[in-house]
Amino acid sequence: AKAKGRVVNLATGFLNSFPVDVADVAVRTKKFAGLNQYGQAKQAAVMMTVEQSKRSNDGVTYVSLHPGIIVGTRFGGGQPKWQQAIGGPFMRAVGLGCTLDEAVAKFHQAAFADVPSGSYLVKSHVTALPKQVNDEIVRAKVWTLIETLASGASSATKAA
């Protein structure tokens, strides 16, 4: 019997601004800026979600969700207090931010609504995949890198 369930990976928006350079991530030749590194990690997570969907035949649905910027969380926590005070209302006013309750509702939809496996949801709507996520070669490289890193981590754990 096949399993039933759903994996929801949290992503971010604007992923087309954060292309993943798999070779550089693997050898770590560059110093990454915080937002760039965050964006690439989220882009890789969406790629992994799509690959899980394509590679599995286990009855599990795999989706990625960008709920929006959750106002009141640690996002922007490194900014001065005055920027934090106006940042949240501004993000909500321009449609980029949401409350924690709104984010929970979006996560609930991603977890339980009838959406196809491999979907990328932005604010509760199935949205076109970011450009680089559609590149099967890059997705395969990301998958291989994740497998390599995971097997190295499990080897290190066994050795400890």
Side-chain angles (χ1 to χ4, degrees), residues 111-150:
F112 299 108
D114 185 20
V115 295
S117 192
S119 292
Y120 173 54
L121 286 83
V122 175
K123 300 180 187 176
S124 304
H125 304 288
V126 175
T127 305
L129 292 169
K131 183 179 177 182
Q132 192 182 33
V133 175
N134 287 305
D135 186 330
E136 293 179 18
I137 294 169
V138 175
R139 276 199 329 260
K141 288 178 180 179
V142 167
W143 183 268
T144 300
L145 176 61
I146 291 169
E147 283 183 324
T148 301
L149 293 171

Short mmCIF file of all heavy atoms in Angstrom, two decimals, residues 111-150:
data_model
loop_
_atom_site.label_atom_id
_atom_site.label_comp_id
_atom_site.label_asym_id
_atom_site.label_seq_id
_atom_site.Cartn_x
_atom_site.Cartn_y
_atom_site.Cartn_z
N ALA A 111 -1.11 22.41 2.82
CA ALA A 111 -1.05 21.07 3.40
C ALA A 111 -2.26 20.21 3.06
O ALA A 111 -2.15 18.98 3.00
CB ALA A 111 -0.90 21.17 4.93
N PHE A 112 -3.41 20.83 2.82
CA PHE A 112 -4.63 20.03 2.70
C PHE A 112 -5.45 20.25 1.42
O PHE A 112 -6.31 19.44 1.11
CB PHE A 112 -5.53 20.26 3.91
CG PHE A 112 -4.87 19.86 5.20
CD1 PHE A 112 -4.43 20.83 6.10
CD2 PHE A 112 -4.66 18.53 5.50
CE1 PHE A 112 -3.81 20.46 7.29
CE2 PHE A 112 -4.02 18.16 6.69
CZ PHE A 112 -3.60 19.12 7.58
N ALA A 113 -5.21 21.33 0.69
CA ALA A 113 -6.01 21.60 -0.51
C ALA A 113 -5.61 20.65 -1.63
O ALA A 113 -4.53 20.04 -1.61
CB ALA A 113 -5.84 23.05 -0.96
N ASP A 114 -6.46 20.54 -2.61
CA ASP A 114 -6.21 19.68 -3.76
C ASP A 114 -5.30 20.42 -4.74
O ASP A 114 -5.78 21.14 -5.61
CB ASP A 114 -7.54 19.30 -4.42
CG ASP A 114 -7.36 18.30 -5.55
OD1 ASP A 114 -6.31 17.63 -5.60
OD2 ASP A 114 -8.27 18.22 -6.39
N VAL A 115 -3.99 20.28 -4.54
CA VAL A 115 -3.01 20.88 -5.45
C VAL A 115 -2.08 19.79 -5.97
O VAL A 115 -1.79 18.83 -5.24
CB VAL A 115 -2.20 22.01 -4.77
CG1 VAL A 115 -3.08 23.18 -4.39
CG2 VAL A 115 -1.44 21.51 -3.57
N PRO A 116 -1.64 19.92 -7.20
CA PRO A 116 -0.77 18.88 -7.76
C PRO A 116 0.58 18.82 -7.07
O PRO A 116 1.13 19.83 -6.64
CB PRO A 116 -0.60 19.31 -9.22
CG PRO A 116 -1.58 20.40 -9.47
CD PRO A 116 -1.96 20.97 -8.15
N SER A 117 1.12 17.61 -7.00
CA SER A 117 2.47 17.43 -6.46
C SER A 117 3.46 18.20 -7.33
O SER A 117 3.33 18.24 -8.55
CB SER A 117 2.83 15.94 -6.43
OG SER A 117 3.99 15.74 -5.67
N GLY A 118 4.43 18.83 -6.68
CA GLY A 118 5.42 19.64 -7.38
C GLY A 118 5.02 21.09 -7.52
O GLY A 118 5.75 21.89 -8.09
N SER A 119 3.86 21.45 -6.98
CA SER A 119 3.37 22.82 -7.11
C SER A 119 4.17 23.79 -6.26
O SER A 119 4.71 23.45 -5.22
CB SER A 119 1.90 22.91 -6.66
OG SER A 119 1.07 22.22 -7.54
N TYR A 120 4.18 25.04 -6.74
CA TYR A 120 4.77 26.17 -6.03
C TYR A 120 3.63 27.13 -5.76
O TYR A 120 3.02 27.65 -6.70
CB TYR A 120 5.86 26.81 -6.89
CG TYR A 120 6.46 28.09 -6.39
CD1 TYR A 120 7.00 28.20 -5.11
CD2 TYR A 120 6.54 29.21 -7.21
CE1 TYR A 120 7.58 29.37 -4.67
CE2 TYR A 120 7.13 30.38 -6.79
CZ TYR A 120 7.65 30.47 -5.52
OH TYR A 120 8.24 31.63 -5.09
N LEU A 121 3.28 27.30 -4.49
CA LEU A 121 2.18 28.18 -4.12
C LEU A 121 2.73 29.50 -3.60
O LEU A 121 3.61 29.51 -2.74
CB LEU A 121 1.32 27.55 -3.03
CG LEU A 121 0.42 26.40 -3.46
CD1 LEU A 121 1.19 25.10 -3.51
CD2 LEU A 121 -0.74 26.28 -2.51
N VAL A 122 2.22 30.57 -4.13
CA VAL A 122 2.56 31.90 -3.66
C VAL A 122 1.27 32.50 -3.14
O VAL A 122 0.30 32.66 -3.89
CB VAL A 122 3.17 32.78 -4.78
CG1 VAL A 122 3.40 34.20 -4.30
CG2 VAL A 122 4.47 32.16 -5.27
N LYS A 123 1.26 32.77 -1.83
CA LYS A 123 0.08 33.34 -1.18
C LYS A 123 -1.17 32.52 -1.50
O LYS A 123 -2.19 33.06 -1.89
CB LYS A 123 -0.10 34.79 -1.58
CG LYS A 123 1.08 35.66 -1.18
CD LYS A 123 0.83 37.07 -1.61
CE LYS A 123 2.07 37.91 -1.36
NZ LYS A 123 1.91 39.26 -1.85
N SER A 124 -1.08 31.22 -1.39
CA SER A 124 -2.19 30.28 -1.53
C SER A 124 -2.59 29.95 -2.97
O SER A 124 -3.54 29.22 -3.17
CB SER A 124 -3.44 30.77 -0.78
OG SER A 124 -3.15 30.99 0.57
N HIS A 125 -1.89 30.49 -3.96
CA HIS A 125 -2.25 30.21 -5.34
C HIS A 125 -1.12 29.44 -6.03
O HIS A 125 0.04 29.82 -5.91
CB HIS A 125 -2.50 31.52 -6.11
CG HIS A 125 -3.54 32.39 -5.48
ND1 HIS A 125 -4.88 32.07 -5.50
CD2 HIS A 125 -3.44 33.54 -4.79
CE1 HIS A 125 -5.55 33.01 -4.85
NE2 HIS A 125 -4.71 33.90 -4.41
N VAL A 126 -1.48 28.38 -6.75
CA VAL A 126 -0.48 27.66 -7.53
C VAL A 126 0.03 28.64 -8.58
O VAL A 126 -0.74 29.28 -9.30
CB VAL A 126 -1.08 26.40 -8.19
CG1 VAL A 126 -0.06 25.74 -9.10
CG2 VAL A 126 -1.55 25.42 -7.12
N THR A 127 1.34 28.79 -8.63
CA THR A 127 2.00 29.77 -9.47
C THR A 127 3.02 29.08 -10.36
O THR A 127 3.54 28.02 -9.99
CB THR A 127 2.71 30.81 -8.57
OG1 THR A 127 1.73 31.36 -7.67
CG2 THR A 127 3.33 31.94 -9.36
N ALA A 128 3.34 29.69 -11.47
CA ALA A 128 4.38 29.15 -12.34
C ALA A 128 5.68 29.01 -11.55
O ALA A 128 6.01 29.85 -10.72
CB ALA A 128 4.59 30.06 -13.54
N LEU A 129 6.39 27.93 -11.83
CA LEU A 129 7.67 27.72 -11.17
C LEU A 129 8.65 28.80 -11.59
O LEU A 129 8.62 29.27 -12.74
CB LEU A 129 8.25 26.35 -11.55
CG LEU A 129 7.50 25.15 -11.03
CD1 LEU A 129 8.03 23.87 -11.70
CD2 LEU A 129 7.63 25.04 -9.52
N PRO A 130 9.54 29.21 -10.68
CA PRO A 130 10.58 30.16 -11.06
C PRO A 130 11.39 29.59 -12.23
O PRO A 130 11.53 28.37 -12.38
CB PRO A 130 11.43 30.28 -9.79
CG PRO A 130 10.49 29.92 -8.68
CD PRO A 130 9.60 28.86 -9.26
N LYS A 131 11.93 30.46 -13.05
CA LYS A 131 12.60 30.07 -14.29
C LYS A 131 13.64 28.96 -14.08
O LYS A 131 13.62 27.95 -14.77
CB LYS A 131 13.26 31.30 -14.92
CG LYS A 131 13.92 31.03 -16.24
CD LYS A 131 14.53 32.30 -16.83
CE LYS A 131 15.24 31.98 -18.12
NZ LYS A 131 15.87 33.18 -18.68
N GLN A 132 14.55 29.14 -13.16
CA GLN A 132 15.63 28.15 -13.00
C GLN A 132 15.10 26.81 -12.49
O GLN A 132 15.68 25.78 -12.78
CB GLN A 132 16.72 28.68 -12.07
CG GLN A 132 17.98 27.83 -12.12
CD GLN A 132 19.06 28.30 -11.19
OE1 GLN A 132 18.79 28.83 -10.11
NE2 GLN A 132 20.31 28.10 -11.59
N VAL A 133 14.00 26.82 -11.77
CA VAL A 133 13.43 25.56 -11.26
C VAL A 133 12.97 24.68 -12.42
O VAL A 133 12.97 23.46 -12.32
CB VAL A 133 12.27 25.83 -10.28
CG1 VAL A 133 11.60 24.56 -9.84
CG2 VAL A 133 12.79 26.60 -9.06
N ASN A 134 12.63 25.28 -13.54
CA ASN A 134 12.23 24.51 -14.72
C ASN A 134 13.39 23.85 -15.44
O ASN A 134 13.18 23.02 -16.32
CB ASN A 134 11.47 25.41 -15.71
CG ASN A 134 10.09 25.72 -15.22
OD1 ASN A 134 9.31 24.83 -14.91
ND2 ASN A 134 9.78 27.00 -15.12
N ASP A 135 14.62 24.20 -15.06
CA ASP A 135 15.81 23.63 -15.70
C ASP A 135 16.12 22.26 -15.07
O ASP A 135 16.63 22.17 -13.96
CB ASP A 135 16.99 24.59 -15.52
CG ASP A 135 18.24 24.16 -16.28
OD1 ASP A 135 18.45 22.94 -16.47
OD2 ASP A 135 19.00 25.05 -16.67
N GLU A 136 15.78 21.20 -15.80
CA GLU A 136 15.94 19.84 -15.27
C GLU A 136 17.39 19.51 -14.94
O GLU A 136 17.65 18.78 -13.99
CB GLU A 136 15.39 18.82 -16.28
CG GLU A 136 13.90 18.91 -16.46
CD GLU A 136 13.38 17.91 -17.48
OE1 GLU A 136 14.08 16.93 -17.81
OE2 GLU A 136 12.24 18.12 -17.95
N ILE A 137 18.33 20.05 -15.69
CA ILE A 137 19.75 19.77 -15.45
C ILE A 137 20.19 20.38 -14.11
O ILE A 137 20.85 19.73 -13.31
CB ILE A 137 20.62 20.27 -16.61
CG1 ILE A 137 20.29 19.46 -17.87
CG2 ILE A 137 22.10 20.21 -16.28
CD1 ILE A 137 20.86 20.02 -19.15
N VAL A 138 19.82 21.63 -13.88
CA VAL A 138 20.18 22.29 -12.62
C VAL A 138 19.49 21.57 -11.45
O VAL A 138 20.12 21.32 -10.42
CB VAL A 138 19.82 23.79 -12.63
CG1 VAL A 138 20.10 24.42 -11.27
CG2 VAL A 138 20.60 24.51 -13.71
N ARG A 139 18.20 21.21 -11.61
CA ARG A 139 17.50 20.49 -10.54
C ARG A 139 18.21 19.18 -10.22
O ARG A 139 18.38 18.84 -9.04
CB ARG A 139 16.05 20.19 -10.94
CG ARG A 139 15.10 21.30 -10.71
CD ARG A 139 13.65 20.83 -10.67
NE ARG A 139 13.34 19.70 -11.49
CZ ARG A 139 12.76 19.74 -12.69
NH1 ARG A 139 12.44 20.91 -13.23
NH2 ARG A 139 12.49 18.64 -13.35
N ALA A 140 18.65 18.46 -11.24
CA ALA A 140 19.35 17.19 -11.00
C ALA A 140 20.67 17.43 -10.26
O ALA A 140 21.04 16.65 -9.38
CB ALA A 140 19.60 16.46 -12.32
N LYS A 141 21.37 18.51 -10.61
CA LYS A 141 22.63 18.83 -9.92
C LYS A 141 22.36 19.18 -8.45
O LYS A 141 23.12 18.78 -7.56
CB LYS A 141 23.34 19.98 -10.61
CG LYS A 141 23.96 19.59 -11.94
CD LYS A 141 24.63 20.79 -12.60
CE LYS A 141 25.24 20.42 -13.93
NZ LYS A 141 25.86 21.59 -14.58
N VAL A 142 21.30 19.94 -8.20
CA VAL A 142 20.94 20.28 -6.82
C VAL A 142 20.61 19.00 -6.06
O VAL A 142 21.04 18.81 -4.92
CB VAL A 142 19.77 21.29 -6.78
CG1 VAL A 142 19.18 21.40 -5.38
CG2 VAL A 142 20.24 22.66 -7.25
N TRP A 143 19.85 18.11 -6.67
CA TRP A 143 19.47 16.84 -6.03
C TRP A 143 20.72 16.04 -5.66
O TRP A 143 20.85 15.55 -4.55
CB TRP A 143 18.57 16.04 -6.96
CG TRP A 143 18.08 14.77 -6.36
CD1 TRP A 143 18.67 13.53 -6.45
CD2 TRP A 143 16.92 14.58 -5.55
NE1 TRP A 143 17.93 12.60 -5.76
CE2 TRP A 143 16.85 13.22 -5.21
CE3 TRP A 143 15.92 15.45 -5.11
CZ2 TRP A 143 15.83 12.71 -4.42
CZ3 TRP A 143 14.90 14.93 -4.34
CH2 TRP A 143 14.86 13.58 -4.00
N THR A 144 21.65 15.94 -6.61
CA THR A 144 22.90 15.19 -6.37
C THR A 144 23.70 15.84 -5.25
O THR A 144 24.24 15.14 -4.38
CB THR A 144 23.73 15.12 -7.67
OG1 THR A 144 22.95 14.43 -8.66
CG2 THR A 144 25.03 14.37 -7.45
N LEU A 145 23.78 17.17 -5.25
CA LEU A 145 24.51 17.87 -4.19
C LEU A 145 23.88 17.59 -2.83
O LEU A 145 24.58 17.31 -1.86
CB LEU A 145 24.55 19.37 -4.47
CG LEU A 145 25.20 20.23 -3.39
CD1 LEU A 145 26.67 19.84 -3.19
CD2 LEU A 145 25.08 21.71 -3.74
N ILE A 146 22.56 17.66 -2.76
CA ILE A 146 21.87 17.39 -1.49
C ILE A 146 22.13 15.96 -1.04
O ILE A 146 22.41 15.72 0.15
CB ILE A 146 20.37 17.70 -1.60
CG1 ILE A 146 20.15 19.21 -1.75
CG2 ILE A 146 19.60 17.17 -0.39
CD1 ILE A 146 18.75 19.61 -2.13
N GLU A 147 22.05 15.01 -1.95
CA GLU A 147 22.35 13.61 -1.60
C GLU A 147 23.77 13.47 -1.08
O GLU A 147 24.02 12.78 -0.10
CB GLU A 147 22.16 12.70 -2.81
CG GLU A 147 20.74 12.38 -3.14
CD GLU A 147 20.62 11.42 -4.31
OE1 GLU A 147 21.44 11.49 -5.27
OE2 GLU A 147 19.72 10.56 -4.25
N THR A 148 24.72 14.13 -1.76
CA THR A 148 26.13 14.05 -1.35
C THR A 148 26.32 14.65 0.04
O THR A 148 26.98 14.05 0.90
CB THR A 148 27.02 14.79 -2.37
OG1 THR A 148 26.84 14.18 -3.64
CG2 THR A 148 28.48 14.75 -1.97
N LEU A 149 25.75 15.83 0.25
CA LEU A 149 25.88 16.48 1.56
C LEU A 149 25.20 15.65 2.65
O LEU A 149 25.73 15.52 3.75
CB LEU A 149 25.30 17.89 1.51
CG LEU A 149 26.05 18.89 0.63
CD1 LEU A 149 25.27 20.18 0.49
CD2 LEU A 149 27.45 19.14 1.17
N ALA A 150 24.04 15.08 2.34
CA ALA A 150 23.33 14.28 3.33
C ALA A 150 24.10 13.01 3.65
O ALA A 150 24.17 12.60 4.82
CB ALA A 150 21.92 13.94 2.82
#
